[in-house]
Amino acid sequence: MSESIMIIGSTSLLAQQLAKTYAIKGYHLLLLARDGSEVGKIGEDLKIRHNATYTNIACDLTSIESIAESSHKILEYDELPRTIIFVAGYIPEELDKIGENQEEIHKMTFTNYLGPALFLSYFLPKLRNSTNPVNIVFVSSVAADRGRKSNYPYGAAKNALNTYAQGLRALLHPYGHCVLTVKMGYMNTRLAYGKIPLVLACSPKYAALKISQAVESKKFIIYLPGFWRLIMIALRSLPERVFIKLPIP
Amino acid sequence: MHLGFVNKKISGWGRYPRGSTSVFRPERSADYASKNLPKKMIARGSGLSYGDGSFASNSATISTKLLNKILAFDPINGTISCQSGVTLEEIIEVSLSHGWFLPVTPGTARVTAGGCAACDVHGKNHHVQGIGSFGNHIRSLQLLLANGDTVLCSKNENTDIFFATIGGMGLTGIIMDLTIQLTQISSTAMCVQNRKVNNLEEMFSILEEEHEYSHCVAWLDSNAKGKNLGRGVVMFGEHSRIRQPMKWQPIIRRSLPFSVPSIMLNKLTSYAFNSAVEFSSRNQNATQSNLANFFYPLDTISNWNLLYGRLGFVEYQVVVPEVTAYQFIEYVITEMQKRNLYSFLTSMKRMGPASGGLLSFPMPGYSFSIDLPMADKNTISFLDSMDEKLLESKGRVYLAKDARLKAGVFNEMYPSVQQFLSIKKKIDPDNRFSSDLSVRLGLD
């Protein structure tokens, strides 16, 4: 198998752009998502336009069985993918009283944190024995940097993911593997479409380019768009007593 | 409205009229599930139809821009299946290196395949036997109906829905994907030739002639009077037959920084522009051009519509049967001059047989178009009076360009309206698919 990239959560606009970026570079695409027919369309499109090769693997990050099954399929290959990107994430459309919705809390925690952690648990033995360096990328959110009253269960799950990534980075560093955390601000996709002033958002195309560059240069943490780093530094530095009184949703 | 809807003021390419609408841009097929879609809506691709066909004021406009996957391409037989938001340029990008090109293309490659089907667009080769309009080359299409079902329709299957959808301005449902038969070419070069024409009579005799070029369009100097009336240039083009490896060079687009102040749109500038074109074009021996320059000359400026000022413009494109065409065109040009109206871009071409689309524009005869800025207050009343003459001449107005036609006149121009409405009533009883155009023309 030629060098490959694995994208978990392959149907989002960001995932599609990442797949395109790496397809053009000649990588074989391992596309994992819940909706296999949608992934098939994305893969065929890249095949027709860019001569991409792809494998379509069904994977539901909220199901322990599905995670085990799909990760074993990938472990059957001789080599680990060169780059593994977790794009999958979940935030409900309706955030009102989000802390009281058991189903949504379950789904958010699973998709944003538990799923990726379980998925990688199957890969760790092989990662520790691999001589080829592997890049692992977690697409997280600025919401993880400070809990806000409107989306704290989501922020908490992403925060757990970030802490997981920190530990994993330290664990895998001696083996030459690199872990990148991407803290996404707003992107010009459905979640933000029409709600967020466009100057605060970046396009999926831009985000995909920046992520691939950050992987190349072995960065640990990036913010997208970059100015979110400054916003979050400001927000994080506020004392809790002040922060909770701010009119931030 | 739930997540993903955004209220916007939008318009078509002519920037007249404008409407406030709620735009929804689905990101994946599942977003097109009936429960996720609004009660009333119209699909919009690139939004390059000129008037009000691509949006619905006070209800929803569904942007198909992210329905942009190419689903299959057969380089042996030249068929391509794509989702409706794929643009013609994207199709060419894939097909050209295998020797396939669009059999029919409008003057811009930025339009979507779905939009081309819904408007049943035509090119400079409509009159050529076996070519016709875009709809003639659609093998099949998948249509999302008002009840949430998707139906496959073609010339053999669900025929009535197919012919209501071709040229149906999106009023039968949302075209999800379509399969198009491409045509084989052996070179990206175009052989082109210009012939200067001194008056309308000469213009008609040249357009009637049989010649070796399959593509043909005429530009007219709308300011020429008297014995020069109808002078202009006929531009011919044909795919070169010299075999060469082919690759599409993406069109590099520049944009105008602001709209031209409407004070600039006057007799003087119109004369200057038309005379400059007249002066710079002359009888020419055959020369070489390329696909992009020949088919899509205006695509290099991404917003040339700003040339018509803040208020936008209306393009009046009509088709008139052969017997009445000369008289009608002469009448329009003379009337325009009498009323001091100046068309910056006046063009003409021959048209062949209709495609069968119930609301399709093309029919045998001559197509004629003028561009009038809305900055001139008389534009609308002038065009209304031209409609009367057009009805007399048994011609019709192109809906993809239209922004002002009246319902009564429209019904007389399009004899298959009732048949269209009875099919629409069957598949869309609650008028879930409705645009400003359909409301204006009484198609609801």
Side-chain angles (χ1 to χ4, degrees):
Chain A
M1 191 167 69
S2 69
E3 294 221 313
S4 62
I5 173 167
M6 173 161 76
I7 301 175
I8 300 104
S10 301
T11 56
S12 70
L13 293 183
L14 175 59
Q16 291 181 32
Q17 283 295 337
L18 282 165
K20 182 180 164 185
T21 308
Y22 281 91
I24 292 170
K25 290 181 181 181
Y27 281 77
H28 176 78
L29 309 170
L30 297 165
L31 304 176
L32 281 73
R34 219 174 13 184
D35 186 347
S37 78
E38 194 75 18
V39 174
K41 286 176 190 165
I42 293 164
E44 275 308 299
D45 181 73
L46 291 170
K47 185 172 152 190
I48 294 166
R49 294 191 204 224
H50 305 291
N51 278 323
T53 57
Y54 73 97
T55 312
N56 178 354
I57 299 162
C59 174
D60 179 357
L61 280 184
T62 61
S63 149
I64 296 171
E65 296 79 29
S66 171
I67 289 169
E69 202 181 312
S70 53
S71 52
H72 281 115
K73 268 189 201 151
I74 291 152
L75 286 165
E76 281 170 17
Y77 294 110
D78 293 339
E79 273 178 48
L80 283 170
R82 182 65 191 267
T83 302
I84 300 171
I85 307 184
F86 288 91
V87 188
Y90 176 71
I91 184 164
E93 292 198 359
E94 187 52 67
L95 285 172
D96 192 35
K97 294 189 183 146
I98 188 62
E100 298 165 30
N101 189 326
Q102 292 79 12
E103 204 181 311
E104 296 286 31
I105 291 172
H106 181 264
K107 201 169 165 189
M108 271 188 285
T109 315
F110 241 108
T111 317
N112 294 313
Y113 167 61
L114 261 179
L118 284 171
F119 193 89
L120 279 174
S121 68
Y122 297 101
F123 283 76
L124 279 171
K126 206 164 174 177
L127 277 167
R128 273 201 306 269
N129 293 314
S130 167
T131 47
N132 292 332
V134 175
N135 303 301
I136 302 171
V137 182
F138 297 100
V139 177
S140 183
S141 164
V142 292
D145 278 17
R146 188 124 204 192
R148 290 189 287 129
K149 60 185 168 227
S150 64
N151 64 3
Y152 58 97
Y154 172 73
K158 285 294 193 192
N159 196 334
L161 181 73
N162 292 356
T163 312
Y164 176 88
Q166 272 180 341
L168 192 71
R169 185 176 298 128
L171 175 78
L172 295 180
H173 189 68
Y175 303 95
H177 306 314
C178 198
V179 176
L180 168 69
T181 307
V182 181
K183 295 189 177 176
M184 290 296 309
Y186 292 115
M187 204 164 35
N188 183 14
T189 62
R190 183 168 171 182
L191 281 174
Y193 189 58
K195 285 174 92 188
I196 310 298
L198 277 178
V199 288
L200 286 180
C202 67
S203 72
K205 193 175 171 182
Y206 172 86
L209 176 76
K210 286 288 168 189
I211 290 171
S212 67
Q213 286 171 350
V215 167
E216 205 105 315
S217 53
K218 310 261 173 223
K219 291 220 165 97
F220 292 155
I221 297 172
I222 59 165
Y223 282 82
L224 282 179
F227 58 78
W228 275 96
R229 181 182 294 274
L230 300 175
I231 299 176
M232 294 323 292
I233 286 174
L235 279 183
R236 273 200 314 264
S237 61
L238 288 172
E240 194 74 358
R241 201 166 288 283
V242 177
F243 185 78
I244 56 170
K245 287 181 190 153
L246 285 180
I248 297 174
Chain B
M1 284 283 188
H2 70 80
L3 196 69
F5 282 84
V6 52
N7 291 321
K8 267 190 184 172
K9 228 178 157 124
I10 57 175
S11 67
W13 181 246
R15 303 173 77 224
Y16 170 84
R18 282 163 219 224
S20 292
T21 175
S22 165
V23 182
F24 177 42
R25 188 186 64 174
E27 289 181 3
R28 54 196 85 183
S29 309
D31 293 340
Y32 284 93
S34 190
K35 64 175 169 46
N36 295 332
L37 290 174
K39 282 209 169 64
K40 266 196 183 293
M41 70 199 126
I42 192 75
R44 175 178 168 107
S46 295
L48 292 175
S49 64
Y50 283 53
D52 50 2
S54 65
F55 58 88
S57 288
N58 309 318
S59 65
T61 303
I62 308 295
S63 167
T64 59
K65 284 305 269 181
L66 295 175
L67 212 52
N68 58 357
K69 306 288 175 295
I70 295 178
L71 305 170
F73 173 58
D74 176 352
I76 310 288
N77 299 312
T79 52
I80 190 161
S81 301
C82 59
Q83 291 183 319
S84 61
V86 170
T87 66
L88 297 189
E89 186 172 9
E90 290 175 298
I91 292 178
I92 303 169
E93 250 164 19
V94 165
S95 70
L96 193 63
S97 52
H98 298 274
W100 297 96
F101 189 67
L102 298 158
V104 167
T105 171
T108 167
R110 295 158 59 201
V111 286
T112 62
C116 287
C119 296
D120 197 12
V121 298
H122 56 269
K124 300 177 175 83
N125 56 350
H126 189 272
H127 58 286
V128 176
Q129 177 126 34
I131 298 291
S133 55
F134 196 81
N136 288 98
H137 307 274
I138 297 175
R139 286 286 194 81
S140 63
L141 58 85
Q142 295 268 8
L143 187 72
L144 177 68
L145 299 176
N147 63 6
D149 292 349
T150 308
V151 287
L152 182 75
C153 29
S154 68
K155 282 162 201 154
N156 311 313
E157 208 172 334
N158 292 309
T159 322
D160 52 342
I161 302 180
F162 181 77
F163 285 110
T165 303
I166 300 301
M169 301 303 286
L171 298 172
T172 53
I174 300 179
I175 300 172
M176 296 301 286
D177 51 65
L178 56 168
T179 302
I180 305 160
Q181 177 63 54
L182 302 169
T183 187
Q184 205 149 30
I185 59 171
S186 48
S187 164
T188 54
M190 291 294 294
C191 296
V192 297
Q193 190 174 12
N194 289 349
R195 276 173 77 178
K196 209 163 172 171
V197 173
N198 294 316
N199 53 49
L200 200 57
E201 217 161 303
E202 246 182 86
M203 179 69 80
F204 270 88
S205 72
I206 286 186
L207 291 178
E208 266 164 35
E209 265 172 38
E210 290 298 323
H211 41 71
E212 73 232 81
Y213 295 98
S214 53
H215 298 270
C216 172
V217 64
W219 166 85
L220 283 81
D221 176 359
S222 58
N223 297 322
K225 286 181 181 153
K227 64 176 176 27
N228 289 331
L229 189 138
R231 76 170 173 200
V233 186
V234 183
M235 290 163 260
F236 296 100
E238 180 60 68
H239 294 285
S240 165
R241 290 193 181 84
I242 302 160
R243 288 205 163 272
Q244 53 154 221
M246 288 183 276
K247 195 173 177 345
W248 177 250
Q249 298 295 339
I251 298 171
I252 295 162
R253 302 202 166 90
R254 282 165 225 288
S255 54
L256 301 171
F258 50 78
S259 66
V260 174
S262 43
I263 196 162
M264 292 290 290
L265 303 162
N266 54 36
K267 190 172 178 169
L268 194 70
T269 49
S270 164
Y271 266 96
F273 177 76
N274 279 298
S275 309
V277 179
E278 167 75 20
F279 184 74
S280 63
S281 52
R282 55 200 65 178
N283 277 327
Q284 222 181 43
N285 289 330
T287 53
Q288 290 250 316
S289 180
N290 63 32
L291 291 174
N293 285 342
F294 182 78
F295 287 104
Y296 314 117
L298 289 170
D299 271 1
T300 49
I301 306 165
S302 60
N303 56 352
W304 63 260
N305 53 351
L306 296 189
L307 285 172
Y308 289 90
R310 196 172 48 85
L311 299 173
F313 70 106
V314 175
E315 178 161 318
Y316 188 62
Q317 182 171 1
V318 300
V319 58
V320 198
E322 220 156 298
V323 281
T324 47
Y326 184 97
Q327 205 198 358
F328 177 79
I329 293 170
E330 188 183 35
Y331 176 79
V332 174
I333 296 177
T334 335
E335 283 298 306
M336 234 178 0
Q337 291 170 350
K338 257 192 230 165
R339 303 191 201 195
N340 290 326
L341 284 158
Y342 305 101
S343 164
F344 280 75
L345 213 75
T346 310
S347 73
M348 213 182 131
K349 58 194 164 219
R350 213 170 127 197
M351 305 283 260
S355 66
L358 297 176
L359 295 186
S360 274
F361 166 70
M363 66 175 182
Y366 287 91
S367 154
F368 173 73
S369 72
I370 52 177
D371 282 3
L372 295 174
M374 281 307 293
D376 197 312
K377 286 185 207 69
N378 301 319
T379 290
I380 298 294
S381 61
F382 169 73
L383 294 178
D384 285 347
S385 64
M386 290 306 104
D387 281 346
E388 286 168 30
K389 181 76 182 171
L390 184 60
L391 271 182
E392 252 175 58
S393 311
K394 305 251 178 287
R396 59 167 74 133
V397 169
Y398 190 9
L399 296 185
K401 304 274 175 83
D402 175 53
R404 28 72 42 198
L405 194 63
K406 293 196 167 82
V409 185
F410 163 74
N411 279 316
E412 282 189 62
M413 286 177 178
Y414 284 83
S416 308
V417 170
Q418 287 313 319
Q419 206 184 334
F420 174 85
L421 286 175
S422 74
I423 295 166
K424 179 163 166 71
K425 201 166 181 188
K426 244 189 338 200
I427 55 177
D428 183 15
D430 302 320
N431 277 315
R432 201 168 176 194
F433 298 102
S434 144
S435 63
D436 280 18
L437 176 131
S438 76
V439 172
R440 176 165 57 78
L441 297 180
L443 286 168
D444 269 12

